[in-house]
Amino acid sequence: MKILGKFRVVSAKLPEEVYNEMVLRIPEGDRSNFIREAIINKLQKTPKPDKLLELEGKMFKIESDFQEIRKHLADLELLTYHNGKLNPHMFCIDEIDHKIIDYLLHYKGATTPELAEYIKTNRWLILNRLRKLQKNSKKQIGEALIYYCAGEKSGKKKAWWINSKIIGE
């Protein structure tokens, strides 16, 4: 690689082992060229900050476009299920999720122990699934399909409730 322009003097502190290795391998007159070429090679492999900013901007745009597409897909689902009502099962990933949603649709709300007993599994699995359903629905349609209420509602304390606004009831 041909270097154009004026040269600048740079000083560098090297660990003694590295310096001793360089003295053994590189003849005294060639050390400056060796260090210069090593720096140039390293710089060629290091991305420029403006490139990083450009890539970051592109990634942000892709993520926002993807969110927009997901939102439109969710809107299409809204339009295709029973006169504008949301299909709550679209957020389910397996049979456990479907059973949770069925139970909540039937009883409108439930505690984790009630759901665990109904599905015959442990309540921690149920809690994790409820949180995942809540998070995924909020991410996809902007509002949570289910929500947790720590206070008393309809005779239940610390229960999960289906968002009737979303499902159109």
Side-chain angles (χ1 to χ4, degrees):
M1 174 178 187
K2 187 177 177 183
I3 300 174
L4 302 174
K6 190 170 136 179
F7 288 98
R8 298 280 184 160
V9 176
V10 176
S11 67
K13 291 184 180 184
L14 299 175
E16 192 169 342
E17 303 83 35
V18 173
Y19 177 77
N20 290 338
E21 191 69 29
M22 186 175 68
V23 168
L24 285 174
R25 293 185 187 196
I26 312 300
E28 191 172 333
D30 294 337
R31 291 181 194 149
S32 184
N33 287 337
F34 176 80
I35 293 170
R36 183 182 316 109
E37 288 172 9
I39 291 172
I40 291 169
N41 286 337
K42 185 70 173 180
L43 282 173
Q44 286 174 341
K45 293 177 184 176
T46 305
K48 295 179 181 177
D50 56 337
K51 263 297 192 209
L52 288 176
L53 289 173
E54 181 183 331
L55 289 174
E56 189 177 275
K58 285 180 180 179
M59 283 299 297
F60 179 76
K61 184 175 177 355
I62 289 170
E63 287 173 349
S64 63
D65 289 349
F66 185 66
Q67 284 291 74
E68 190 71 24
I69 290 168
R70 288 177 84 177
K71 193 152 186 104
H72 287 303
L73 288 174
D75 290 345
L76 286 173
E77 184 69 30
L78 278 169
L79 297 174
T80 58
Y81 186 76
H82 299 316
N83 302 327
K85 296 178 187 174
L86 174 70
N87 178 0
H89 290 279
M90 74 183 224
F91 303 104
C92 300
I93 56 171
D94 63 7
E95 193 59 36
I96 292 173
D97 287 354
H98 285 289
K99 286 180 180 179
I100 289 170
I101 293 298
D102 287 339
Y103 191 93
L104 290 174
L105 284 171
H106 186 266
Y107 294 103
K108 306 294 180 228
T111 62
T112 36
E114 288 173 341
L115 286 166
E117 185 179 320
Y118 171 73
I119 298 172
K120 307 220 182 321
T121 187
N122 74 46
R123 67 186 188 91
W124 293 107
L125 174 71
I126 299 298
L127 180 62
N128 288 334
R129 293 302 184 90
L130 287 164
R131 287 178 177 160
K132 194 176 282 189
L133 284 165
Q134 182 183 37
K135 180 180 153 199
N136 289 341
S137 63
K138 187 166 186 151
K139 187 185 283 184
Q140 288 182 28
I141 61 173
E143 195 171 349
L145 172 68
I146 57 175
Y147 63 93
Y148 177 75
C149 181
E152 188 170 337
K153 179 178 175 183
S154 300
K156 293 183 188 284
K157 288 182 180 177
K158 299 182 180 180
W160 287 85
W161 301 90
I162 197 105
N163 190 342
S164 57
K165 231 177 13 176
I166 290 179
I167 60 169
E169 289 183 358

